[in-house]
Amino acid sequence: MSSPSSNPAAAAGGKPTGRPRPPAYRDFVEFTDKWLLPLINVRLAEANRENTYTWCSQWWRHRPVSVRIAHLHNAFEASRRSQAGGAMSSYLLSHVDAHCKIILDAANGPMHRCTRTEHNPLDSLSADPMPLTRVKTKQTSTPTTPADEAVAAKPPPPPRYSHYSEFVQQWLLPVIAVRVTANSREGHNTWCRQWWRHHGVALRFAALHKCFEAACRAEDKTAMSSLFVRHIDPHMRLILDAAQGPLHRCSPQQHTELTGLPNSAIAPNWFGVPGAKTSIEHLGWGPDFRALTNSMATSGAES
């Protein structure tokens, strides 16, 4: 993001000569105390927890909360420096509101055991280590073009985590703390310590790892905050769904095998004769596809 400047040269499109705009708050603790908390005015529940909000005055003892707020601060400073007219509005809607929806959730969020006056710790999700037999290392290919050689001459910085299983164990799970239930399923979360035995879950975590590494390298200081609200939260909402999700037969203490959707063999020529160059939008579907393709060929000959 570009930084606003009162420098005349910058305003005229020239190269700015002044210093970058200093941060409004020296760290995320000061940002939280002076900007974020005064901004949030919601009704805090004491008894009923469903569809309500809660808060813990010792928020800093909740790693899943403090990590989000730290990245909220970075995103705030970047939005504040932006010259885009809608930058701060987008920040409030896409970052503050989205994070607070997770943080303040009194039913299932990371502080669901707390009240405004009482702190009750909640462990993050934990898991069994992925067996080494499941860890596949990538083989690097030899550059074959001058462009490849140029890229190879200046390799990108090494990833924070060499394999997605390390990312999940060391970074992702420690920043996820939710209410996990074993019996009631609707509207609740479940978890499986052997998450790596679920193909769909492992695939999503591998994709999250790539997003994480890209966000770490991004110049955009809102990238890590966006990682949470645009990727981690939607994926975890699906993964942890105790009623319909991929772990719905599991509990934190017990893994239950669950295969993907069943599949039947496709009837021969159902989507057209193999090798035919009929475009997809003109394909017939089912046994009558020949009638469609024949009528198209006839109309083409008449025209």
Side-chain angles (χ1 to χ4, degrees):
M1 288 188 175
S2 57
S3 301
S5 173
S6 58
N7 188 293
K15 186 176 181 180
T17 56
R19 293 182 177 180
R21 190 176 183 182
Y25 303 100
R26 63 179 182 270
D27 53 43
F28 72 89
V29 175
E30 183 183 23
F31 161 77
T32 304
D33 183 50
K34 295 183 178 180
W35 192 91
L36 182 62
L37 298 188
L39 169 73
I40 302 171
N41 293 281
V42 295
R43 180 183 179 185
L44 299 178
E46 297 295 345
N48 182 32
R49 313 297 280 182
E50 298 296 330
N51 299 316
T52 56
Y53 301 113
T54 192
W55 177 247
C56 179
S57 60
Q58 299 183 37
W59 59 269
W60 36 269
R61 299 182 68 177
H62 297 267
R63 180 174 176 179
V65 175
S66 58
V67 169
R68 286 176 180 268
I69 291 179
H71 293 306
L72 260 181
H73 174 230
N74 281 343
F76 167 82
E77 297 293 352
S79 300
R80 179 173 166 270
R81 293 189 183 101
S82 174
Q83 293 183 359
M88 188 54 65
S89 176
S90 296
Y91 168 74
L92 290 168
L93 293 170
S94 301
H95 296 270
V96 175
D97 292 349
H99 281 294
C100 286
K101 184 177 180 180
I102 300 295
I103 293 172
L104 301 178
D105 183 358
N108 298 302
M111 298 187 293
H112 74 266
R113 292 182 179 175
C114 300
T115 68
R116 72 187 81 187
T117 58
E118 183 180 356
H119 167 72
N120 290 296
L122 175 66
D123 293 335
S124 302
L125 293 180
S126 58
D128 297 332
M130 178 185 286
L132 294 178
T133 54
R134 291 177 176 260
V135 178
K136 297 180 180 179
T137 57
K138 294 182 179 180
Q139 295 181 355
T140 57
S141 57
T142 304
T144 56
T145 66
D148 292 334
E149 292 176 356
V151 172
K154 187 179 180 181
R160 299 285 184 92
Y161 301 99
S162 60
H163 191 267
Y164 72 88
S165 61
E166 297 178 3
F167 158 74
V168 172
Q169 199 83 24
Q170 299 177 27
W171 191 89
L172 181 61
L173 296 187
V175 301
I176 304 295
V178 296
R179 178 186 178 191
V180 175
T181 57
N183 297 322
S184 177
R185 313 303 279 183
E186 296 293 335
H188 294 284
N189 300 311
T190 192
W191 176 242
C192 179
R193 290 182 58 87
Q194 298 183 18
W195 60 267
W196 34 267
R197 297 181 66 177
H198 297 267
H199 175 70
V201 175
L203 187 65
R204 289 176 181 272
F205 282 167
L208 279 178
H209 176 223
K210 288 191 175 182
C211 288
F212 168 82
E213 297 292 349
C216 288
R217 296 190 298 267
E219 294 183 4
D220 180 6
K221 297 305 180 183
T222 69
M224 285 297 293
S225 177
S226 297
L227 171 71
F228 277 94
V229 298
R230 297 181 184 176
H231 297 279
I232 292 176
D233 292 343
H235 280 297
M236 295 306 298
R237 193 156 46 241
L238 187 147
I239 290 171
L240 300 177
D241 183 356
Q244 311 290 347
L247 310 178
H248 71 269
R249 290 187 179 177
C250 297
S251 70
Q253 294 77 31
Q254 181 178 356
H255 165 75
T256 302
E257 200 69 29
L258 180 66
T259 59
L261 296 176
N263 184 32
S264 299
I266 301 174
N269 301 331
W270 190 264
F271 297 122
V273 179
K277 296 183 179 180
T278 308
S279 59
I280 294 176
E281 59 270 21
H282 294 153
L283 277 176
W285 303 84
D288 296 329
F289 76 93
R290 294 178 183 82
L292 175 61
T293 54
N294 288 338
S295 63
M296 289 175 54
T298 303
S299 61
E302 291 176 352
S303 61

